[in-house]
Amino acid sequence: MDIALLLADKILQLTLMVLLGYAIVKTKLLTSEQSYPISIIGLYIISPAMLITAFQVDYTAETLNGLYLAFFLSIIFSALLIFLGWLLKKTAKLDNIEQATSIYSNSGNLIIPIVASLLGNEWVIYSTAFIVVQTVLFWSHLRTLICGKGTVPLRKVIFNINIIAIVVGLMLFLLHIKLPTTIASTLSSLGYMIGPLSMLVAGMLIAAVPFKEIITDKRIYLVTFLRLLFIPLILLLVIKWCGFENWVINGDIIVMITFLATISPSAATVTQMAVVYGQDAKKASAIYGVTTLLCVFTMPFIIWLYLII
């Protein structure tokens, strides 16, 4: 129960940062479009720094086994998310944006700062597994959903800056290499910025969506329900039925970290791809905004259920 309350407090802090980003635009200090250079800083500097730092932990068999479990769970959960998205498209008549926002979560921007604050930096390494799997799917399955075209060349996936950072961090971990203190501290300090920066950008993007469009579109609330409650509850049943927590030492925490990545709000990447490929970016932004604001209630509730069942 304590973890659920701490999680609620941390998400509330991040939500307040979203509201600050929203206020910056509404007071005309900045425009939503000016969130782009801030996003570039987050994508190319802060996120890679955080990912490399995550692997600067002591190499042990216990950590390696936990990482194996995290990758296995990430693949299984991602496959289930895609299947559920396909099933819901048929039953709930979801369009491509609704299907994409129900499947893909904001796993990187939100989960890394939550795990670091809630459990400590030494646990962030396990959250990288889901980010790797989801990044590959972003540039293959998600792109196909959004624009209806073939997959992106493998080269573009491999040379994604965040994938490179994870590979570098993983190699340092496997080779037992610790970065010099100055470099490690610099990367760590940059990494701490990922949560505040991401939430400010989220608020700035949400501010571009007319409030009336959000509160009058019933489909937004349908997708919000699917993303934040229905799909997480299905995954929770699978987790408890399979007993993944008992597979390795500290399995309950590793499973919870991966599970957290699946129950977070809709991915900001869906909005970005909708803009690039001329799809309904306003709807994607609205779903992103509503799920980001409401996750302060749903994520602690789902984790509370995970802890007591």
Side-chain angles (χ1 to χ4, degrees):
M1 184 63 180
D2 289 342
I3 291 180
L5 291 175
L6 288 171
L7 177 61
D9 181 65
K10 182 59 184 176
I11 296 175
L12 180 59
Q13 292 174 35
L14 294 172
T15 303
L16 291 174
M17 294 174 195
V18 171
L19 295 176
L20 287 173
Y22 183 90
I24 286 172
V25 173
K26 288 304 180 181
T27 54
K28 302 184 189 268
L29 292 173
L30 292 173
T31 65
S32 289
E33 291 74 19
Q34 288 173 314
S35 66
Y36 178 76
I38 303 175
S39 298
I40 293 297
I41 293 171
L43 175 64
Y44 288 96
I45 298 178
I46 295 173
S47 180
M50 184 68 200
L51 291 169
I52 292 174
T53 301
F55 286 93
Q56 289 291 288
V57 296
D58 293 333
Y59 179 98
T60 64
E62 180 181 314
T63 303
L64 193 59
N65 288 334
L67 201 54
Y68 287 149
L69 176 61
F71 270 106
F72 174 78
L73 292 174
S74 299
I75 294 170
I76 295 298
F77 290 170
S78 295
L80 283 171
L81 286 167
I82 291 173
F83 172 73
L84 289 171
W86 172 83
L87 197 62
L88 291 167
K89 179 181 178 66
K90 303 291 184 183
T91 56
K93 296 181 169 49
L94 304 180
D95 62 27
N96 60 340
I97 292 295
E98 292 168 348
Q99 183 183 4
T101 49
S102 66
I103 293 173
Y104 288 101
S105 62
N106 208 20
S107 60
N109 292 343
L110 192 61
I111 297 308
I112 288 179
I114 285 177
V115 171
S117 299
L118 198 63
L119 302 171
N121 288 337
E122 66 272 20
W123 293 98
V124 173
I125 186 173
Y126 302 112
S127 66
T128 62
F130 194 85
I131 294 172
V132 171
V133 173
Q134 194 172 63
T135 299
V136 173
L137 291 173
F138 275 158
W139 295 102
S140 51
H141 178 259
L142 175 59
R143 182 180 182 273
T144 302
L145 280 183
I146 296 296
C147 64
K149 297 179 181 178
T151 58
V152 169
L154 183 61
R155 178 178 56 83
K156 290 191 175 181
V157 177
I158 294 175
F159 289 101
N160 176 283
I161 184 66
N162 291 288
I163 294 296
I164 292 174
I166 289 171
V167 170
V168 170
L170 183 59
M171 292 304 297
L172 292 174
F173 169 72
L174 294 175
L175 295 173
H176 307 192
I177 297 175
K178 290 293 183 71
L179 293 171
T181 302
T182 301
I183 295 176
S185 297
T186 300
L187 293 177
S188 179
S189 297
L190 285 170
Y192 282 126
M193 296 170 62
I194 189 170
L197 194 77
S198 300
M199 295 303 103
L200 288 172
V201 169
M204 293 175 71
L205 291 172
I206 293 168
V209 183
F211 185 69
K212 185 178 179 181
E213 288 188 20
I214 296 176
I215 63 174
T216 58
D217 192 340
K218 295 179 181 178
R219 301 292 295 184
I220 291 175
Y221 297 104
L222 169 63
V223 177
T224 298
F225 168 74
L226 295 175
R227 168 96 291 276
L228 296 182
L229 288 173
F230 181 76
I231 291 176
L233 289 173
I234 296 295
L235 292 176
L236 179 59
L237 291 175
V238 172
I239 289 171
K240 294 303 179 179
W241 181 64
C242 294
F244 296 125
E245 306 101 312
N246 303 314
W247 286 18
V248 299
I249 297 174
N250 294 320
D252 55 336
I253 300 178
I254 294 168
V255 172
M256 184 178 71
I257 290 171
T258 311
F259 185 44
L260 270 171
T262 70
I263 67 175
S264 60
S266 297
T269 305
V270 176
T271 300
Q272 294 164 355
M273 284 198 174
V275 172
V276 171
Y277 295 112
Q279 299 298 314
D280 194 347
K282 284 188 175 181
K283 177 186 278 190
S285 295
I287 294 171
Y288 171 59
V290 172
T291 55
T292 298
L293 293 175
L294 292 183
C295 77
V296 68
F297 305 105
T298 60
M299 289 182 69
F301 171 68
I302 296 295
I303 290 302
W304 174 71
L305 289 178
Y306 170 83
L307 294 171
I308 66 170
I309 293 177

